[in-house]
Amino acid sequence: MHFVRHLQAGLVWVNLLFLMSVSTMPFSCGLLGHFLRNRAAQEIYFSNMFVAAAFLALQWILAKKKKLINEEDVLASRLMGQQIMFFPIALATGMVAAYFNPMAGSYGFILALLALRIWQRKWHRKQLANPLYGSGANL
C-alpha cells in the first residue's frame, strides 16, 4: 500500500478480503507444521497463500487501473508490481508440485520464485542501462 495515493471503496473491499485470507494463515501454517509430509496439509497451505497473493495482486491491478498508484518513481513501482504478480505464479507452482509429491511443493515454490527473481533482476539491469531511464519515456 506504500505506492497507493488514494483509496476507493472497491480497493478497500479487496483489501478486507485480502486481510481475511491472511487471518487464516496461522491455521494453515500450524496444520503444515504438524503434518509436513501430508499432501492435504500442503495443498491447504499453498491454497491459503495463493488466495492471499491473488487478492494482493487484484489490489495492485485495481489501483493501477484506477490510476491510484504513485508514479513518482516509475521503476520502483514497476518492480513492486512484478513482485506482487510473481507470488501467485510461484504459489500455483507449489500447489501443483505438492499434488504429485508433498515435499516437492516447497521446492517448486522456491524454484519458481528464484527463476522469476532472476528474470526480474535481468529486466531491472536492462532498464537501468536504458539511456531514457531518467525521463521514464521507455518505461
Side-chain angles (χ1 to χ4, degrees), residues 87-117:
F87 284 107
I89 296 166
L91 288 163
T93 304
M95 282 177 19
V96 170
Y99 177 78
F100 295 106
N101 181 352
M103 293 309 294
S106 298
Y107 297 126
F109 170 70
I110 290 168
L111 287 175
L113 209 53
L114 285 173
L116 292 168
R117 182 66 178 143

Side-chain angles (χ1 to χ4, degrees), residues 35-55:
F35 304 103
L36 184 61
R37 298 189 191 283
N38 187 313
R39 179 179 296 147
Q42 291 271 341
E43 290 296 332
I44 289 169
Y45 173 77
F46 281 115
S47 297
N48 182 215
M49 295 290 286
F50 177 79
V51 168
F55 279 129

Side-chain angles (χ1 to χ4, degrees), residues 64-113:
K64 286 290 269 186
K65 184 177 178 181
K66 297 191 182 259
K67 301 191 185 316
L68 300 174
I69 300 293
N70 185 358
E71 296 285 344
E72 288 177 11
D73 188 354
V74 177
L75 187 58
S77 173
R78 287 211 174 178
L79 287 171
M80 180 58 67
Q82 288 172 357
Q83 290 174 355
I84 289 172
M85 297 303 160
F86 287 173
F87 284 107
I89 296 166
L91 288 163
T93 304
M95 282 177 19
V96 170
Y99 177 78
F100 295 106
N101 181 352
M103 293 309 294
S106 298
Y107 297 126
F109 170 70
I110 290 168
L111 287 175
L113 209 53

Side-chain angles (χ1 to χ4, degrees), residues 1-19 22 52 55-64 68-71 76-77 80-81 83-84:
M1 298 300 280
H2 171 75
F3 288 98
V4 178
R5 292 183 304 196
H6 304 287
L7 292 176
Q8 290 184 346
L11 192 60
V12 170
W13 281 105
V14 174
N15 190 30
L16 286 173
L17 291 171
F18 166 70
L19 293 173
V22 168
F55 279 129
L56 187 61
L58 182 60
Q59 279 183 17
W60 186 263
I61 291 168
L62 284 174
K64 286 290 269 186
L68 300 174
I69 300 293
N70 185 358
E71 296 285 344
S77 173
M80 180 58 67
Q83 290 174 355
I84 289 172

